[in-house]
Amino acid sequence: KIKPDGTGYSKLLDFSSQNGNRPYGDFYYDGIFLYGTTNFGGTNNLGTIFKIKSDGTGYSKLLDFSGAANGSFPMCTLISDGTFLYGMTYQGGTNGYGTVFKIMPDGTGYSKLLDFTSTNGSWPGGSLIFDGVFLYGMTNQGGTNNKGVIFKIKTDGTGYSNLLDFAGAINGSYTEGNLLSAGTSLYGMT
């Protein structure tokens, strides 16, 4: 951490092969803990979910990703609905194309909400957004044209809907970044 004027620098944690390495995305902060993901490291070297207090104490590894069972290589910022943390893995899951998941802030209650397939999208990038009912996100590939999709899914894993299949020159391909909700529209980039 560092103060906005450049003073007060403090290293809170050294990542390692066991607690995770190559952190990816931003922190989610609940007022006490910072929550994050690492793209590699952990027990299986497939990434982790962790939390740490803003003073550097209270570090805890919440989950080791393991591939088919729960995903691998998370490349997202975690979000919260006030009860669960939600995120995506870039690969892993039953089909190897990534997952949507939820987990309690104490590391319990992990649930895989969706296994991506080549049809419903593959290799999700960016982070999810939440409108109070649905989680929205994008995949980098997969879908009808294998150029990515925009999707939505409820927080209990039901209600999946493919909102858009990217098609190249017509409407873009290979999404990057996050969706933004503003007014009645979602905004994103390919």
Side-chain angles (χ1 to χ4, degrees):
K1 68 181 180 179
I2 189 169
K3 291 184 179 180
D5 66 2
T7 63
Y9 173 85
S10 176
K11 180 173 62 174
L12 303 182
L13 178 71
D14 282 309
F15 287 104
S16 69
S17 61
Q18 285 305 303
N19 69 7
N21 58 53
R22 296 189 194 172
Y24 202 95
D26 301 323
F27 280 119
Y28 167 74
Y29 183 56
D30 69 1
I32 299 172
F33 283 96
L34 301 161
Y35 297 85
T37 61
T38 66
N39 194 243
F40 288 91
T43 302
N44 305 300
N45 199 31
L46 298 174
T48 67
I49 301 172
F50 69 92
K51 70 180 182 180
I52 188 170
K53 288 185 178 178
S54 58
D55 65 0
T57 64
Y59 168 84
S60 178
K61 184 170 58 171
L62 303 180
L63 182 78
D64 285 294
F65 286 100
S66 61
N70 63 8
S72 55
F73 311 122
M75 296 177 66
C76 67
T77 298
L78 298 171
I79 65 166
S80 177
D81 66 356
T83 303
F84 282 93
L85 300 170
Y86 297 87
M88 299 184 288
T89 63
Y90 187 72
Q91 292 181 16
T94 302
N95 306 302
Y97 293 117
T99 66
V100 177
F101 65 85
K102 69 180 180 180
I103 190 170
M104 295 288 287
D106 65 1
T108 63
Y110 173 87
S111 178
K112 185 169 52 171
L113 302 179
L114 179 71
D115 282 298
F116 286 103
T117 67
S118 59
T119 305
N120 70 5
S122 58
W123 302 318
S127 297
L128 296 165
I129 59 173
F130 182 56
D131 71 359
V133 178
F134 283 96
L135 300 162
Y136 297 84
M138 299 186 291
T139 69
N140 188 263
Q141 293 185 36
T144 302
N145 306 299
N146 198 30
K147 296 183 184 294
V149 304
I150 299 173
F151 68 90
K152 69 179 182 179
I153 188 170
K154 289 185 178 178
T155 58
D156 65 0
T158 65
Y160 174 86
S161 180
N162 183 334
L163 303 178
L164 178 75
D165 283 287
F166 288 103
I170 296 169
N171 61 9
S173 57
Y174 313 121
T175 62
E176 293 293 334
N178 304 315
L179 286 172
L180 169 72
S181 178
T184 60
S185 296
L186 300 173
Y187 297 86
M189 296 182 284
T190 63

